Amino acid sequence: MTSAEIHKRRVAAVARGVGSTISSYVDHASGGTLTDVDGREWIDFAAGIAVTSVGNSAPRVIEAVQRQVERFTHTCFMVAPYEAYVAVCEQLNGLTPGAFEKRSALFNSGAEAVENAVKIARYHTKRPAIVVFDHGYHGRTNLTMALTAKNMPYKNGFGPFAPEIYRAPMSYPLRDGLDGPAAAARAIDMIEKQVGASNVAAVLIEPIQGEGGFVVPAPGFLPALAEWTREAGAVFIADEIQTGFCRTGSWFASSHEDVEPDLITTAKGIAGGLPLAAVTGHASIMDSVHVGGLGGTYGGNPIACAAALASIETMRELDLAGAARHIGSRITARLSELDHPAIAEVRGRGAMIAVELPDASTAASVAAQCHANGLLVLTCGTYGNVLRFLPPLVMPDDVLDRGLDILTAALTSR
Ligand code: PLZ
């Protein structure tokens, strides 16, 4: 069956509201490429939106998943528990920043992890307000839509949204020209004047914004916010769903500025493509919730846990944090060489790099040219004008370079 044939069936069967970046249908995938059903190879600068960091069909993940499927597929951890769930929590508690005692709870999707982090912070503080930031993205469920900044396509027509969510100005150096402390002072002033420190349950932020445009806050912004949050008796939550698990060149992006969040949400890269998400944090905060207050049928599914343990082992053994730094410097070097007037900024950390272009139509046409030439890239940003690159961290140099050839040709043809 060809992509065109499947696509015809899709239009008749799949809800229109679910979009796709490309209209080719995948047959199989590896460490750096996807092959569609028409036999065409795509260089993968998307990794399923920062998910397949260990590659698609990573050998350890395949083996662990197969072994687990043969033993059992599901019991529900809330009904009959199993070791893999405990082992994933141990790994998360050890790998996330901060030497303090931690606990974790497992869920299915990023949005679900964020929802639970908010539940835990509100329970612990007995306060209502959640502070989020301009350009922030936290999901598409009802609560997380309210936390997400951008209207189209995420929120438009889907309200009313959950109350007690307050949006503070983000540090966006290209656009605001502020240094980190000044941008933090601006955000804190807004919170104090418009929300009131004593009402704040949590400050929730992506250490580098993902969907919002790979916005890297100015140095000092995150530490100042974290410190204010602690002094206010509120919970500092880092949403590391996109930045976590080696993507930015360290296990977690908070570490680049020595920030130790009270709670961290993770998903995406954690399990090599299987659906798994987590909230990890201070034992005193996590354990404040009554027994039975957190859970869900599938959270911490044993197959996803087996995949996570194998993915984490792969990241350790192959030093994928180092690989992310290597990929990032290779991408940045090629893009900086271009010095093209359409490139407003090349930014990011590790293998989470983006170029900001003048407008959405330029970004869309560069992306379209990349797609026509077999390179899968994604756009992002509040203004839709950012092209982002999230290759699997196991992508070989020659594949990366071929992708960069296609990308630089598309950028310079503008
Ligand atoms: N927090 C920081 O990046 C998911 C969304 C794609 P889920 N980002 C990709 C789309 O258009 O739906 C994300 C994220 C951050 C939370 C989430 C939500 O994670 O697993 O998609 O629910």
Side-chain angles (χ1 to χ4, degrees), residues 169 178-192 220-221 224-225:
L178 297 175
D179 66 17
R186 181 178 64 168
I188 288 164
D189 185 61
M190 174 269 157
I191 301 168
E192 288 180 341
F221 179 74
L225 267 182

Side-chain angles (χ1 to χ4, degrees), residues 83 85-95 104:
E83 186 191 353
Y85 188 116
V86 178
V88 171
C89 293
E90 287 169 346
Q91 290 294 328
L92 282 162
N93 298 347
L95 289 170
S104 291

Side-chain angles (χ1 to χ4, degrees), residues 49 109-111 137-140 154 206 211 239 241-242 268:
I49 322 188
S109 66
Y137 182 93
H138 302 288
R140 293 177 183 258
Y154 309 121
E206 303 156 82
E211 306 307 305
D239 180 344
I241 285 164
Q242 193 152 159
K268 290 189 183 278

Side-chain angles (χ1 to χ4, degrees), residues 200-286:
V200 177
V203 171
L204 166 63
I205 190 164
E206 303 156 82
I208 297 175
Q209 290 182 324
E211 306 307 305
F214 282 23
V215 180
V216 186
F221 179 74
L222 291 172
L225 267 182
E227 194 188 324
W228 180 89
T229 305
R230 218 148 290 150
E231 277 166 15
V235 177
F236 187 76
I237 308 174
D239 180 344
E240 294 242 19
I241 285 164
Q242 193 152 159
T243 51
F245 285 99
C246 300
R247 174 55 54 187
T248 67
S250 66
W251 280 99
F252 294 95
S254 302
S255 311
H256 296 296
E257 288 206 71
D258 295 324
V259 169
E260 295 180 355
D262 300 311
L263 301 180
I264 296 190
T265 55
T266 52
K268 290 189 183 278
I270 189 176
L274 275 88
L276 188 71
V279 182
T280 299
H282 263 288
S284 60
I285 299 173
M286 294 292 294

Side-chain angles (χ1 to χ4, degrees), residues 171-184:
S171 165
Y172 195 152
L174 175 71
R175 287 172 183 266
D176 64 24
L178 297 175
D179 66 17

Side-chain angles (χ1 to χ4, degrees), residues 268-352:
K268 290 189 183 278
I270 189 176
L274 275 88
L276 188 71
V279 182
T280 299
H282 263 288
S284 60
I285 299 173
M286 294 292 294
D287 278 347
S288 62
V289 177
H290 53 276
V291 175
L294 304 174
T297 305
Y298 290 110
N301 168 273
I303 305 166
C305 285
L309 294 170
S311 296
I312 292 167
E313 198 184 308
T314 304
M315 290 178 200
R316 265 207 196 93
E317 280 183 11
L318 303 183
D319 181 24
L320 291 190
R325 295 192 294 273
H326 168 78
I327 289 170
S329 57
R330 225 169 162 92
I331 298 176
T332 310
R334 284 291 294 277
L335 293 176
S336 310
E337 248 166 45
L338 288 184
D339 195 25
H340 193 272
I343 297 179
E345 188 175 49
V346 178
R347 61 169 177 259
R349 244 192 236 280
M352 184 171 181

